[in-house]
Amino acid sequence: MNTPTPLLVFSGSTRADSLNRKLAKATADLATAAGAQVTLLDLSDFDLPIYNGDLEAQGTPADVIRFKQALHAHPAWIISTPEYNGGYPALLKNALDWASRPVAGNDEWANGLKPFAGKVVGLLAASPGGLGGISSLSHLTPMLMKLQCWTTPKQFALAKAHEAFDANGQLASAGARQGVQAVIDQVLWAAPRLAA
């Protein structure tokens, strides 16, 4: 019997009615049905101030450590990000920047790459526009690769996302479900192989 892959799913938005939070939830449900052990993380549960070296010098915030722990505990992630001005949002950049910082005086987190190195990451985007926020993924991919993550070749951008969900918050069209499922499948296929 195969051990389920621990999968972390989160959105790069904390807005209550965020399309990317909806997509993250729908993705978590599909991944659970595919046999993954899913943790649906919400960035609003973490107090991550704007990164500032002077603030860091006073001590790494406790929620940064909690976020590092969540990232490190999961060999596979799926991130659903909005697109702001052709890129991914400052909220997501800030969270990842904090997570990549070495923690002075802490042997466990002395290596800033520890939460990232070797993680398998699938990327999604959702937008009301016709391209689904795909430009954000072209910026997020190289950042994750710089942090030594493996990003899946398949990515999915959900266009006209304001019309894409049914009353239960699930993806209404078979095409959208297939697009997300393709990313899930690659993540769950690659994670145990790269961890071996």
Side-chain angles (χ1 to χ4, degrees):
M1 181 174 171
N2 292 335
T3 303
T5 299
L7 173 65
L8 186 68
V9 179
F10 62 99
S11 166
S13 174
T14 55
R15 187 171 61 87
D17 201 33
S18 162
L19 296 170
N20 282 280
R21 287 179 79 176
K22 290 180 180 180
L23 182 55
K25 174 64 169 73
T27 300
D29 292 343
L30 287 170
T32 299
Q37 180 185 327
V38 178
T39 300
L40 182 61
L41 180 145
D42 190 337
L43 286 179
S44 65
D45 290 337
F46 297 83
D47 182 11
L48 304 175
I50 296 296
Y51 176 76
N52 179 301
D54 291 336
L55 175 62
E56 183 183 35
Q58 298 170 26
T60 299
D63 274 9
V64 170
I65 303 295
R66 270 206 317 129
F67 186 51
K68 283 175 173 284
Q69 290 168 336
L71 296 176
H72 183 64
H74 296 81
W77 314 338
I78 295 178
I79 303 172
S80 181
T81 181
E83 180 183 308
Y84 293 171
N85 300 314
Y88 55 97
L91 171 75
L92 181 56
K93 177 72 161 64
N94 185 63
L96 296 175
D97 284 347
W98 265 119
S100 71
R101 297 294 302 161
V103 180
N106 184 322
D107 290 342
E108 183 180 4
W109 300 109
N111 180 353
L113 292 176
K114 180 178 176 179
F116 298 93
K119 303 301 181 180
V120 174
V121 186
L123 296 178
L124 308 173
S127 168
L131 297 178
I134 197 164
S135 292
S136 64
L137 304 184
S138 68
H139 293 277
L140 185 54
T141 299
M143 180 190 181
L144 289 167
M145 292 176 68
K146 175 77 172 172
L147 293 169
Q148 300 183 10
C149 295
W150 296 79
T151 58
T152 58
K154 286 197 181 290
Q155 301 179 345
F156 180 70
L158 181 64
K160 302 189 184 309
H162 59 299
E163 302 170 353
F165 299 93
D166 64 22
N168 296 316
Q170 300 305 308
L171 291 163
S173 82
R177 289 193 299 274
Q178 288 167 2
V180 172
Q181 191 68 52
V183 176
I184 292 169
D185 290 347
Q186 281 199 340
V187 168
L188 296 184
W189 180 88
R193 287 164 172 81
L194 292 174

